[in-house]
Amino acid sequence: APSAGQDGSITVCLNEPFVLWNGLSGNIDANGTWYNASNVAIPGAQDTSGNLAGQYNYDYIVTSPVCPSDTSNVLVVVDGSCDFTASIEENQMGLSMYPNPTSGILQISKSQIGSASVEVLDLNGKVLQNSAMQQHLTLDLSAYPRGMYMVKVQMNGVSIIERIAVQ
């Protein structure tokens, strides 16, 4: 009898490639067909999450000319609090911002050589502060009211935006 394995789940970030086999367990016949959340057959077990957080069901169906088909399901949970592509850019720049939350003084450093521009924005996108940095920058945010702000770092056409809490 065909075996599609045991149902399972995997959690990924926005825009992250993933392998559906990682969501199954048990005895699995490798000659089945994967179907995405729209019930469209996909050419293999690899897919990439989109830019919408949520839960998506992928089905794996193994058929046989003699026995009934077997189906398993992989629930792909797309976590909206992380973005795989942003992580790549941050890793390339070697960017770190700390402490977060901050009581006022924010340290920003990067390992990539070259100058970068740094903007502090409110949640409406209004620029509150603009600075240039080489490898390290200390920002004093103590004059701002408590709340959430965004810090945007731009370098070589790459923009990284981090949310920072001021306490």
Side-chain angles (χ1 to χ4, degrees):
S3 177
Q6 301 298 314
D7 295 353
S9 68
I10 53 177
T11 301
V12 297
C13 293
L14 298 171
N15 305 302
E16 181 175 355
F18 57 89
V19 178
L20 290 160
W21 294 119
N22 296 334
L24 295 179
S25 61
N27 185 21
I28 306 165
D29 293 341
N31 60 344
T33 304
W34 285 100
Y35 294 86
N36 65 16
S38 300
N39 206 28
V40 174
I42 58 177
Q46 185 164 347
D47 202 3
T48 301
S49 65
N51 57 4
L52 269 173
Q55 297 183 353
Y56 302 91
N57 286 298
Y58 284 75
D59 291 320
Y60 182 63
I61 301 175
V62 180
T63 59
S64 165
V66 179
C67 299
S69 298
D70 190 32
T71 302
S72 62
N73 178 270
V74 175
L75 177 65
V76 177
V77 179
V78 180
D79 182 355
S81 69
C82 59
D83 188 332
F84 185 77
T85 54
S87 297
I88 292 171
E89 293 167 347
E90 285 183 62
N91 288 339
Q92 286 175 342
M93 196 180 291
L95 186 68
S96 68
M97 293 184 204
Y98 57 92
N100 187 12
T102 180
S103 57
I105 301 299
L106 181 68
Q107 305 292 332
I108 304 173
S109 62
K110 63 180 184 60
S111 60
Q112 197 173 58
I113 305 296
S115 64
S117 66
V118 178
E119 295 177 334
V120 178
L121 304 103
D122 65 15
L123 291 181
N124 294 321
K126 179 182 175 191
V127 177
L128 305 174
Q129 187 175 340
N130 200 346
S131 305
M133 76 176 280
Q134 290 300 318
Q135 298 309 115
H136 187 82
L137 179 66
T138 301
L139 289 177
D140 185 356
L141 307 177
S142 60
Y144 300 123
R146 290 180 180 193
M148 294 296 292
Y149 296 87
M150 295 180 291
V151 176
K152 180 178 182 180
V153 179
Q154 292 181 321
M155 180 176 174
N156 298 332
V158 174
S159 294
I160 298 170
I161 299 175
E162 293 282 340
R163 285 184 175 214
I164 301 295
V166 175
Q167 295 181 329

